[in-house]
Amino acid sequence: MISIVIPALNEAESIGHVLDEVKRNFPNAEIIVVDSDSTDGTADIAKSKGAKVVNESMRGYGYAYMKGFKNAGGDIIVTLDADGTYPPSEAKRLVEMIGKYDFINGERLSNSSKEAMPTMHMIGNFILTLLTRILFMVRITDSQSGMWVFKREILNDILPSSGGMEFSEEIKIRAASAYCYKEVPIEYRRRMGEKKLRPWKDGIRNMVYLFKLRITGNIKMKNRKCD
């Protein structure tokens, strides 16, 4: 079974469209929306679309995913954002490729327009990804992507400790260090609704966290190669 986990915070403008698209591409999948005390009716819309809605009162990207993964029953886990930036059709393509891979990351940089990813975000992503490659010696080209497909069997080994935005880069570092990791270029679309990313604050926090993780993170360097 496939479980699709979608964190959401005040995404009423987009969540219905996203779930409709998810259901067209994954008619038999378990769909879990992790709502972080939205005040705009996001949870109600998600329920009306047939999604399983779980609440996570602790604010943070990582906390939302931890709650979602805990409630997911599938042997393949897919992650998407609730803002419409990641096309479910691209997630379906990655699921069809999972095969010998343990973790596939959707790489956005090859196909992103300036409308979808502003120049400041592109530069910040480049810096964080370069630092990730230097510190952890992993072949990652989009450390901040939010579309992942991975086998549940590796979850305990790759689950990050961070509850914030750093969760995204840490899960990829752990996966790329120990398992068969693959990156595939995907389409990335302009988000619907209000932007929540704080480029400077989130970028600096992510950078500091990378150094902390390098010193104290106990990263398992299995260096498993893909067959």
Side-chain angles (χ1 to χ4, degrees):
M1 183 173 73
I2 297 170
S3 293
I4 300 175
V5 180
I6 306 173
L9 172 61
N10 292 328
E11 297 288 2
E13 183 175 339
S14 57
I15 190 65
H17 300 287
V18 170
L19 293 177
D20 285 343
E21 201 171 349
V22 168
K23 290 170 71 175
R24 285 196 297 271
N25 285 276
F26 296 94
N28 300 313
E30 173 187 53
I31 305 173
I32 300 172
V33 173
V34 186
D35 183 65
S36 297
D37 291 333
S38 294
T39 59
D40 65 349
T42 295
D44 291 336
I45 296 172
K47 289 177 183 177
S48 73
K49 295 293 184 178
K52 176 182 179 181
V53 178
V54 295
N55 185 261
E56 176 51 76
S57 295
M58 293 183 68
R59 292 289 179 90
Y61 193 70
Y63 291 124
Y65 271 126
M66 289 177 196
K67 177 61 72 72
F69 294 161
K70 185 177 180 180
N71 283 272
D75 53 353
I76 300 294
I77 296 177
V78 178
T79 66
L80 296 172
D81 283 359
D83 58 12
T85 49
Y86 296 98
S89 58
E90 293 285 63
K92 180 180 180 181
R93 185 166 63 91
L94 300 193
V95 168
E96 291 170 349
M97 297 174 61
I98 193 71
K100 65 180 180 180
Y101 304 112
D102 297 310
F103 191 111
I104 300 180
N105 182 42
E107 183 267 302
R108 307 162 298 167
L109 308 183
S110 300
N111 298 318
S112 290
S113 66
K114 289 185 178 180
E115 289 75 23
M117 184 179 292
T119 301
M120 181 180 293
H121 292 184
M122 186 78 75
I123 293 172
N125 196 329
F126 174 80
I127 293 172
L128 289 170
T129 298
L130 179 61
L131 187 58
T132 296
R133 292 170 67 99
I134 292 172
L135 290 177
F136 298 94
M137 297 178 290
V138 288
R139 293 184 177 180
I140 293 175
T141 55
D142 187 357
S143 65
Q144 307 303 308
S145 173
M147 180 188 283
W148 328 314
V149 174
F150 62 92
K151 297 176 181 177
R152 185 185 183 86
E153 62 193 56
I154 72 170
L155 180 58
N156 287 340
D157 273 351
I158 67 172
L159 191 63
S161 56
S162 169
M165 292 298 295
E166 308 89 359
F167 188 96
S168 181
E169 60 194 15
E170 184 178 349
I171 198 169
K172 298 181 190 72
I173 290 167
R174 293 186 180 280
S177 297
Y179 291 98
C180 184
Y181 176 94
K182 174 74 171 178
E183 290 200 346
V184 176
I186 60 168
E187 177 191 357
Y188 184 69
R189 303 186 297 205
R190 184 175 182 176
R191 71 160 288 139
M192 303 179 199
E194 181 184 355
K195 295 181 180 179
K196 299 180 178 66
L197 185 67
R198 303 161 298 181
W200 286 105
K201 185 174 182 179
D202 289 333
I204 292 172
R205 177 174 171 172
N206 281 12
M207 190 177 298
V208 171
Y209 189 81
L210 284 172
F211 285 103
K212 179 181 177 181
L213 184 64
R214 174 69 276 181
I215 296 171
T216 64
N218 190 27
I219 303 296
K220 296 181 180 180
M221 306 294 287
K222 294 182 181 179
N223 292 319
R224 175 182 169 188
K225 295 183 179 180
C226 301
D227 297 329

